[in-house]
Structure formats: structure tokens, C-alpha cells
Amino acid sequence: MTAAGRRRTPLVLLETATLLSGTGNGVAVVALPWLVLERTGSATAAGVVAAATALPLLLSSLVSGTVVDLIGRRRTALVSDALSALSVAAIPAVDALLGLNLGWIVALAVLGAVFDPAGLTARETLLPAAAHAAGWRIERANGVHEAIFGLAFLVGPGVGGLLIAAIGPVSTLWVTAAGFTLAVLLIAAVRLPGSGRPERPPSGLWRGTAEGLRFVWRDPLLRTLALVTMVLVALYLPVEGVLLPVWFVEQGQPARLGTILMAMSAGVVVGALASGVAGRLVRRRTLLAVALVVTGGALLGLAFLPAYPVMLVFSVLVGLAYGPVNPLTNYAMQTRTPERLRGRVVGVMTSFSYAAGPAGYLLAGPLVEWLGVRTAFLVLAGALLAATVVAAPLPVLRALDQPPRYPPAPSGGPSGRTEGPVPLGEQWIPSAHRDPPVQG
């Protein structure tokens, strides 16, 4: 292997692990609600299960970043994905031994959800060091990382829908367990500066988490991005977890549900990859504003539940528009956060994403049974569009175009890094591509 290939190996291993773990979750996104609807026939029950899995995500994601900063990034990813694999495999195992009911489904789904945020946070905090080693601009790495995550949810739901039709939703969950297991093997081979036990760990779980919360809340841009993401997640997650499954269960078309979710993820992949190029042509604030408003408009078009080919077009457009949002949020975290706090900031920002999810899920089930799928979908999509229209012109988003608050690596590049005040693993942005100061 060439020297360049060796430098890229950690990034390739990291992103392949992200793909496999995300694919397993993508399968579960289709399989779990389908399993609940098949066993109970109740949209409210599907909403209860979705909400029950979202509730522990809030707490576990809040402290997951502190866990990363306490025991190390690589170790956290290994333990988290291994426990996720075991908890998901328990669902078909319990069904075979004892028989599943709604209580078992809720309990095991909750157990599986608890471990996911730590693995996600750990892999994301490894990204700047992996990009540094490969000699990539951090914006390029963010775009690829989010595209890989989108690709996982492109492959996972489609595979999930096909497997449900072939072997049923319970057996399909073995695929999720396999994805996590393979991710563990890949992360075990990753070697990066800053991936082991931290030199300056937080003084405790709750004190470290509180420090991360204070940091995010005192930074106007990070606080705004966290709150906007909360609203978007609360209004969008019920679309994938309740509304679309109910619609396609009524139609008797599990494969179409998978295809719709695949179409959204395909759009996310393209949008995330394109965000690195678009960021050179327009200001980041402009890119984010357009992405938010177009996402809301496209989701409203999908909410009318038009003919299936038209639904596919709107689904692609939703993903394409939303694609730049997460890379831009990652960029803000990486360039406004010191190395020692990165795990906690990523964990806190992720927890904001989960915070409003349970309310959205619990609202969606009764809303469907009261108003019907189409009207409930229109209500949620209309609210999301209104939220994006309000958020897009906020002046605080101008901070996205400010120079990085924390400096890039010293001159000499990723292979010739010198000792200095910038810690190993800090984001690396080649000087030729640094953004000029924002005027005015």
C-alpha cells in the first residue's frame, strides 16, 4: 500500500463502519414500525414504540459525548456498536423463545436505542483526525460523512422493505445486528491520534455534560442550530416512523415504503456531497437558508400523498434540499469547539435533535386516527415549512461565514504536523482554502 493509501485508511475504515452501522439502523427504521403494525394493527401503538425508543435517546445522547471524552473515542465506538448488535439480535431471539408482544417490543427497542448515540458521537468525533490524516479539507470530509450516512439509509430501508416481504419483520432484524457487528470489526482496526484515552478527561459524567451544555448554550450560532434542528426533527421523524408506514400498510406495499425512504436518502447523499462544492460558490448562510426552505416546501408537496411516481420525486427533493444541513452544522461545531470539548458538544447537539422527537411521535399516532393520514401529514408538513421560513433569515446564521474560531493545523500539512498549541486531532483546513474574513 502506498503512503497516501495508508493515510486514507483510517478515513475509509471509519466511513465504512458508519455505512454498516447506519444500514443496520435503516433496516430497523422500516422493520420495527412494520412489526408493531403487523402485531397490533394500531397507528397509536406504532407511535408509542417510536416515542419509547426516542425518549432514552435524549438522555443517552446528552451524556454520550461526555462518555467519549472520558474513556476515548475508539473505545466508545467499539462498546456502543457491540451492545447495539446484542440488543437488536435479542428481538428475534425473544420471539423464537417466548413470543413477542407490545411490551417486549417496546423494552427491547428502548434497550437498542440507548446505545446508538454513543457510537454515532464517537465516530463523528474521530472524523477531523481522519480527515487530517488523509489531507482532506474538513468541509469535504463532512460532506462525505453525511453522504455515507445518507447512503446507509438509502440501502437500509430498501433492503428492509424487501426482506420484510421475503422473510418477515422479525427475521429482518438480524440484518441490523449484522451491520453493527461488522462496524465493530472495522473500528477495531482504526488508529488515529486522539482516538485513545483523553489526556484531559472531564472531571465526571454530569459535570462534564453540564460543561458541554453551557458551551453550546453560550454560543449563539450553536444554540440556534440546536433549536432549529429540534423543531425539524420533531416534525419530520413522525413522517418516517408513523405516517408513511401507516399509509403503505393500508396500501399493502412494504417495498414502496422502503423505496420512498431510499429516495429521500439518495437525495441526502447527493445534497451532502454537493454541499462542499456549493460552499465555495455561495455563502454558507445562504446555502443553509435555501436548504431549509426548500426542504419544507418539498415535504409539503409529499404530504398531499400524490401518485406514487410523484411521491418519489418529492422524496428525492426533500433529501436533496436537506443534504447540506448536517455538514454545515458539523462545520459549525468543529470550527467553534476546542478539541477537549468536541465529544461533549457533539453529544449535546445530538441530544437537542432527539429532545422533541417523543412529542412528535406521540402526537402523530392520535393525529392520524383523528384526522386521517393525509390531513395529519399536511398539518405536520405545513408546520415544518413555517418553521423553516422563520429560521432562514435569522441574522445569527451569518456566523457560519466567519473564520474558524479555533485554528487549523500548523503549516506542514497532515503528515508534517509540528508540536504546538493546537492539539493532535484538531480540525485541519489547508491554508489555500481558508475562508476570508467576513466583511461588515
Side-chain angles (χ1 to χ4, degrees), residues 56-76:
L57 288 177
L58 173 57
L59 180 60
S60 62
S61 63
L62 184 62
V63 301
S64 66
T66 309
V67 171
V68 170
D69 288 343
L70 275 169
I71 70 173
R73 297 165 182 179
R74 180 170 165 273
R75 185 178 300 172
T76 302

Side-chain angles (χ1 to χ4, degrees), residues 263-274:
M264 290 182 182
S265 296
V268 169
V269 170
V270 176
L273 288 173

